[in-house]
Amino acid sequence: GQNIDQPTEMTATEGAIVQINCTYQTSGFNGLFWYQQHAGEAPTFLSYNVLDGLEEKGRFSSFLSRSKGYSYLLLKELQMKDSASYLCAGAVLNTGFQKLVFGTGTRLLVSP
Amino acid sequence: DTAVSQTPKYLVTQMGNDKSIKCEQNLGHDTMYWYKQDSKKFLKIMFSYNNKELIINETVPNRFSPKSPDKAHLNLHINSLELGDSAVYFCASSQEISGISYNEQFFGPGTRLTVL
């Protein structure tokens, strides 16, 4: 089966750093995606990791450890606009094509 | 320019009715998807088409029937709507190169379906 776990909710203050963890158990694993979804809007792509290590993109970084089935999304210098849900998704190869298996999302609330 | 568009944005209907949602992408992608996001915000894949061919069909009631007239369009028809079908339905597209890792999916704005 496919299983993606992440915390349901987190809170942080403006200017701080927050780390959102994700653990996964998937067969046919082909990488780990992070998406951001603001309330009432579509998910938008943040990052993709297929090899172990850290990928940095501005204020956001994502880390993957394939051996541990673990990823995290790190958000620095938090801004109010970062209040959103963050979706961890495992990319799974299925009969030669890829599908995304999403976790339930972590709702992040940034307060002043 | 809208990359992935869906119509309608909102759909309110009675139980037992039949309805359709349409999706179009102008990104030149060859793979399109339908996802369902329930009230707990859990996003789950339903179907995927690659070049008009069905490639992923998750465990979905056969009241749901996708159709892809060409690779830029993917529609979803739902028969005999039930209360549990109330959700937000997202269309997405990606450029799938068979077996190649990186294929970010671009999502449409969603269709909020409410069944009364």
Side-chain angles (χ1 to χ4, degrees):
Chain A
Q2 321 284 5
N3 200 39
I4 309 281
D5 283 317
Q6 52 183 130
T8 307
E9 206 167 275
M10 297 182 73
T11 57
T13 51
E14 212 174 358
I17 299 173
V18 72
Q19 177 173 313
I20 303 174
N21 296 324
C22 172
T23 57
Y24 64 89
Q25 287 177 306
T26 62
S27 53
F29 180 74
N30 200 39
L32 198 294
F33 285 83
W34 284 95
Y35 280 80
Q36 180 191 58
Q37 186 177 25
H38 283 99
E41 296 183 12
T44 54
F45 170 80
L46 286 178
S47 69
Y48 172 69
N49 295 66
V50 66
L51 299 175
D52 284 0
L54 188 69
E55 295 275 346
E56 296 187 74
K57 207 187 272 188
R59 294 189 299 115
F60 292 6
S61 305
S62 57
F63 172 84
L64 178 68
S65 168
R66 294 178 71 121
S67 60
K68 294 180 179 171
Y70 168 68
S71 173
Y72 67 72
L73 181 69
L74 192 72
L75 294 78
K76 301 176 191 172
E77 299 166 20
L78 279 171
Q79 301 175 10
M80 298 295 288
K81 67 178 182 179
D82 297 330
S83 291
S85 285
Y86 291 85
L87 311 178
C88 174
V92 173
L93 276 178
N94 180 21
T95 62
F97 292 96
Q98 185 166 290
K99 69 173 184 179
L100 296 185
V101 178
F102 282 87
T104 52
T106 299
R107 193 171 157 214
L108 174 66
L109 180 63
V110 180
S111 56
Chain B
D1 264 356
T2 305
V4 183
S5 58
Q6 293 179 227
T7 53
K9 192 165 172 61
Y10 299 96
L11 187 51
V12 181
T13 188
Q14 299 286 333
M15 241 179 7
N17 283 350
D18 303 338
K19 290 293 177 188
S20 290
I21 309 171
K22 298 189 175 192
C23 178
E24 176 180 0
Q25 54 95 4
N26 63 6
L27 297 167
H29 289 164
D30 59 5
T31 305
M32 296 183 72
Y33 310 82
W34 277 114
Y35 287 87
K36 178 180 180 181
Q37 189 169 45
D38 60 24
S39 56
K40 294 183 180 173
K41 307 302 180 192
F42 183 51
L43 192 63
K44 193 171 187 327
I45 190 165
M46 301 171 69
F47 302 103
S48 176
Y49 273 72
N50 176 262
N51 280 319
K52 303 191 296 175
E53 298 293 322
L54 181 67
I55 56 170
I56 294 172
N57 185 355
E58 295 293 289
T59 309
V60 177
N62 58 16
R63 298 181 295 104
F64 290 78
S65 50
K67 274 199 174 61
S68 182
D70 55 63
K71 71 176 193 177
H73 295 85
L74 180 61
N75 304 324
L76 183 65
H77 188 75
I78 316 170
N79 288 326
S80 305
L81 277 155
E82 299 178 358
L83 293 177
D85 297 332
S86 294
V88 180
Y89 292 84
F90 285 101
C91 176
S93 75
S94 68
Q95 185 57 37
E96 183 82 36
I97 304 167
S98 192
I100 299 296
S101 310
Y102 189 87
N103 68 331
E104 169 194 349
Q105 292 184 19
F106 292 81
F107 284 80
T111 296
R112 183 174 292 277
L113 172 65
T114 304
V115 183
L116 303 174

